[in-house]
Amino acid sequence: MTVVGPFGLSVRDQALETDVQAGLAAVEAGLLEATKSEVPFITEAAQHLVRAGGKRFRPLLVMLASRFGDPYAPGIVPSAVVVELTHLATLYHDDVMDEADVRRGVESANARWGNSVAVLTGDFLFARASHILADLGPEAVRIQAEAFERLVTGQILETAGPRDGRDPVSHYLDVIAGKTGSLIAVSGRFGALMSGADESVVDILTQYGERLGTAFQLADDVLDIASDAHESGKTPGTDLREGIPTLPVLRLREMAAQGGDPADLELVELLDGDLTDDARHAEVLTRLRAHPALERARRDTIQYAEDARAMLAPLPECFAKSALEELCDAVVHRAG
């Protein structure tokens, strides 16, 4: 058994491991090339998060999806660079919105250079991704544009909150389908499409990515509560402090409303208070870590991961399919 990619994903075939590692190395080189500018400061800012590392989850999915066609087709590595550049750009913007100080274990761009530089750097990365897309053809441009629209719509829905009478959990799942699921779905789609895989395979891997993306974000929600900074690479409880209603919090509110338990109601009241206060924030974080709502969120994560796995059933048995199935396990493992 060998190891490749994020979360210690195991690949049981030497040829597949070699090819995937080579592909990811080419993506890394492509990311550095795409973030170069004639202006040294722009290069420094644009490469800040590239050099900080990261799981490269989306490029890995592109590489594995390409195994169902020609994995050496010329569009595969550039399309993987596009999805990762797009993802990186959203991180710069997210950190501004969240006022985050840490990203991937390093100082966030907004903390280092200010909000304006962070926003403009994200825009620069979007521009570079678009430049690469132009060489991949109009279909790739359309796919990316649709995903980007969904991504932005998800962010707006999160900011606006659920409309009156809408179930907050359902609303939130729509939010993360847009914010996270859309781009991970594109990763599966690009890998299959650029490799020339059958249309049915392209659809399967798109749907797989959509569900895996939701599980991936739900695992992040759990990590925001349950992990320390070393595990997650960012400050624990960041979403909590910013009042972002992630799934563990939504499940807590649901349980409090249905059961009326005094301790649950008290915790909800604490949540509704000023969580910029460090002591209050620490108390809420500690109590949430011990609350059944966190375990409920873990179970939700497992369900979406299992739904992703089920999508793979029609694909032929091969090492790439096994690796995609292991990604489902790896996502669940992140959530504990």
Side-chain angles (χ1 to χ4, degrees):
M1 181 183 297
T2 53
V3 174
V4 63
F7 327 126
L9 175 67
S10 60
V11 174
R12 294 176 174 84
D13 179 68
Q14 186 62 51
L16 175 58
E17 183 204 10
T18 299
D19 283 351
V20 169
Q21 290 283 21
L24 291 175
V27 170
E28 209 64 28
L31 289 171
L32 290 173
E33 183 62 32
T35 48
K36 287 180 181 176
S37 168
E38 294 179 357
V39 180
F41 176 68
I42 294 177
T43 301
E44 181 186 5
Q47 292 186 351
H48 180 64
L49 289 184
V50 174
R51 294 187 181 279
K55 294 174 287 292
R56 304 295 189 250
F57 181 79
R58 292 155 188 82
L60 174 64
L61 183 51
V62 175
M63 295 300 141
L64 292 175
S66 74
R67 306 300 298 189
F68 295 90
D70 175 8
Y72 310 111
I76 292 167
V77 168
S79 68
V81 172
V82 165
V83 292
E84 189 67 10
L85 279 176
T86 304
H87 172 58
L88 288 168
T90 66
L91 298 184
Y92 281 85
H93 289 179
D94 283 352
D95 286 346
V96 171
M97 296 183 70
D98 298 342
E99 299 178 2
D101 295 325
V102 178
R103 169 68 69 174
R104 295 183 170 175
V106 300
E107 188 179 25
S108 64
N110 50 294
R112 184 168 182 176
W113 293 296
N115 287 346
S116 294
V117 169
V119 170
L120 291 169
T121 302
D123 293 343
F124 176 80
L125 296 183
F126 283 131
R128 287 298 174 88
S130 298
H131 189 274
I132 297 169
L133 273 167
D135 293 330
L136 295 177
E139 176 70 1
V141 173
R142 183 185 64 79
I143 290 169
Q144 177 76 356
E146 289 174 353
F148 191 52
E149 179 183 345
R150 288 188 61 204
L151 195 157
V152 173
T153 299
Q155 184 64 69
I156 292 171
L157 286 173
E158 179 179 80
T159 303
R163 64 179 183 271
D164 289 346
R166 178 80 195 278
D167 173 42
V169 172
S170 296
H171 171 83
Y172 180 65
L173 291 173
D174 284 347
V175 166
I176 62 174
K179 283 188 61 179
T180 305
S182 60
L183 194 57
I184 294 179
V186 166
S187 301
R189 187 171 184 179
F190 272 165
L193 183 68
M194 295 297 165
S195 74
D198 290 344
E199 186 176 341
S200 62
V201 173
V202 174
D203 182 62
I204 286 169
L205 290 168
T206 302
Q207 296 301 319
Y208 164 84
E210 180 86 21
R211 287 157 177 78
L212 189 68
T214 297
F216 187 87
Q217 182 57 55
L218 295 183
D220 262 7
D221 287 0
V222 172
L223 280 172
D224 186 64
I225 302 298
S227 72
D228 59 30
H230 176 72
E231 289 178 287
S232 63
K234 62 180 183 179
T235 305
T238 296
D239 293 335
L240 198 63
R241 191 183 294 275
E242 295 304 315
I244 297 171
T246 58
L247 193 63
V249 171
L250 291 173
R251 289 302 189 196
L252 167 66
R253 293 184 183 278
E254 185 179 63
M255 294 166 76
Q258 293 174 355
D261 183 271
D264 289 353
L265 294 171
E266 181 186 358
L267 183 51
V268 167
E269 186 176 347
L270 284 169
L271 274 169
D272 290 335
D274 180 15
L275 293 183
T276 61
D277 177 79
D278 288 343
R280 188 186 192 107
H281 178 265
E283 181 183 356
V284 169
L285 197 57
T286 298
R287 291 176 65 171
L288 265 176
R289 284 171 172 169
H291 198 279
L294 186 63
E295 182 56 35
R296 174 70 189 276
R298 284 194 178 99
R299 293 201 303 271
D300 293 328
T301 304
I302 291 168
Q303 183 60 59
Y304 273 94
E306 288 304 311
D307 289 347
R309 185 198 305 276
M311 288 301 304
L312 298 172
L315 296 180
E317 296 301 324
C318 60
F319 289 116
K321 179 179 178 179
S322 297
L324 291 170
E325 290 171 338
E326 285 207 24
L327 274 182
C328 300
D329 296 331
V331 166
V332 169
H333 177 72
R334 292 173 70 231

